[in-house]
């Protein structure tokens, strides 16, 4: 589904990674691992088409993503370090904004899955950082995108929330979806295929 070919990323006077190649297929999870500062977030932003690599290319269905941006972004759900939700809107309004075609009942169910029942009509700006993160994660229960790129989706999530997300990840890949994510949590090794991409420490240039 997605292929990275010979990616190189430089920041200031450092090469974060170079010559990096890997692919992710339907039904597969790719876990991007590495120390802080190794370039995990930079890599995910490149894969999502939000940043450019200094060298190399990213392909979606064997075509460069920069040549099919609308098609690619329609097939992708990216959740970064920041929640990426609108602070002036409520959790329910945020989900309605991103998923206008979803029935109201599904929006309520998604908020219930992330333990935000009772907070539907509270402006996001008044929620805790963890709750704001859960508003963004609720989109995972609503999206039809086959490719998920998730930067630390399990951060600030309690044990029951992690278990619910793990079950969702397993269901998504079992249905032919694919995921690329960073996380410090151990991933379950069930039927889904999990590949590891490890980034080493940045190099001075």
């Amino acid at each position: 589904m997605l292929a990275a070919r010979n990616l190189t990323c430089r920041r200031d006077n450092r090469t974060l990674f170079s010559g990096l190649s890997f692919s992710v297929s339907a039904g597969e999870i790719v876990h991007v691992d590495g120390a802080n500062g190794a370039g995990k977030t930079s890599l995910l932003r490149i894969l999502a088409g939000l940043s450019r690599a200094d060298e190399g290319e990213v392909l979606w269905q064997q075509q460069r993503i920069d040549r099919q941006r609308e098609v690619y972004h329609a097939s992708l759900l990216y959740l970064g370090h920041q929640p990426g939700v609108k602070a002036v809107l409520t959790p329910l309004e945020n989900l309605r904004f991103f998923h206008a075609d979803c029935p109201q009942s599904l929006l309520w169910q998604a908020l219930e899955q992330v333990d935000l029942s009772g907070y539907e009509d509270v402006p996001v700006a008044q929620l805790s950082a963890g709750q704001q993160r859960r508003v963004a994660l609720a989109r995972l229960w609503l999206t039809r995108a086959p490719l998920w790129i998730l930067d630390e989706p399990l951060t600030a999530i309690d044990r029951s929330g992690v278990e619910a997300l793990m079950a969702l990840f397993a269901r998504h890949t079992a249905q032919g979806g694919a995921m690329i994510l960073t996380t410090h949590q151990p991933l379950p090794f069930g039927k889904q295929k999990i590949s590891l991409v490890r980034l080493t420490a940045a190099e001075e240039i």
Side-chain angles (χ1 to χ4, degrees):
M1 295 176 74
L2 187 77
R5 292 183 177 173
N6 298 314
L7 295 182
T8 294
C9 177
R10 303 184 183 95
R11 292 290 183 269
D12 300 324
N13 64 335
R14 298 186 301 163
T15 297
L16 297 183
F17 49 84
S18 63
L20 181 63
S21 297
F22 65 93
S23 63
V24 56
S25 303
E28 183 179 10
I29 296 175
V30 171
H31 177 200
V32 178
D33 190 27
N36 291 338
K40 299 187 297 294
T41 293
S42 295
L43 173 60
L44 295 196
R45 288 183 57 83
I46 289 170
L47 297 176
L50 299 175
S51 301
R52 287 184 175 273
D54 292 282
E55 297 174 17
E57 59 185 4
V58 179
L59 307 179
W60 170 250
Q61 305 291 16
Q62 301 180 8
Q63 296 186 46
R64 287 176 52 139
I65 61 173
D66 57 354
R67 296 176 181 170
Q68 49 165 343
R69 289 188 180 278
E70 290 187 11
V71 171
Y72 180 54
H73 288 152
S75 303
L76 167 70
L77 177 62
Y78 170 78
L79 297 181
H81 258 295
Q82 300 301 318
V85 293
K86 298 182 180 296
V88 298
L89 301 181
T90 68
L92 189 60
E93 289 170 339
N94 266 281
L95 295 189
R96 190 180 296 123
F97 174 82
F98 288 111
H99 302 279
D101 58 336
C102 281
Q104 182 90 346
S105 60
L106 293 183
L107 303 183
W108 283 87
Q109 289 176 23
L111 291 174
E112 185 177 357
Q113 291 287 349
V114 294
D115 198 25
L116 285 176
S117 295
Y119 296 91
E120 302 91 347
D121 299 320
V122 179
V124 165
Q126 298 179 21
L127 300 178
S128 68
Q131 289 171 325
Q132 292 182 25
R133 185 107 182 126
R134 293 204 295 271
V135 175
L137 290 171
R139 297 186 59 198
L140 295 174
W141 273 269
L142 301 171
T143 183
R144 298 176 182 174
L147 176 64
W148 298 355
I149 298 179
L150 312 176
D151 197 353
E152 297 290 350
L154 306 179
T155 298
I157 304 299
D158 61 21
R159 182 174 178 178
S160 63
V162 169
E163 290 175 352
L165 282 168
M166 291 295 191
L168 181 64
F169 295 167
R171 184 164 71 247
H172 177 63
T173 53
Q175 294 172 347
M179 294 176 52
I180 303 170
L181 80 162
T182 63
T183 180
H184 296 292
Q185 296 271 4
L187 293 173
F189 286 86
K191 293 182 179 180
Q192 65 267 45
K193 180 181 178 182
I194 301 178
S195 301
L196 179 66
V197 172
R198 188 179 299 279
L199 303 181
T200 57
E203 299 176 1
E204 299 289 336
I205 59 174

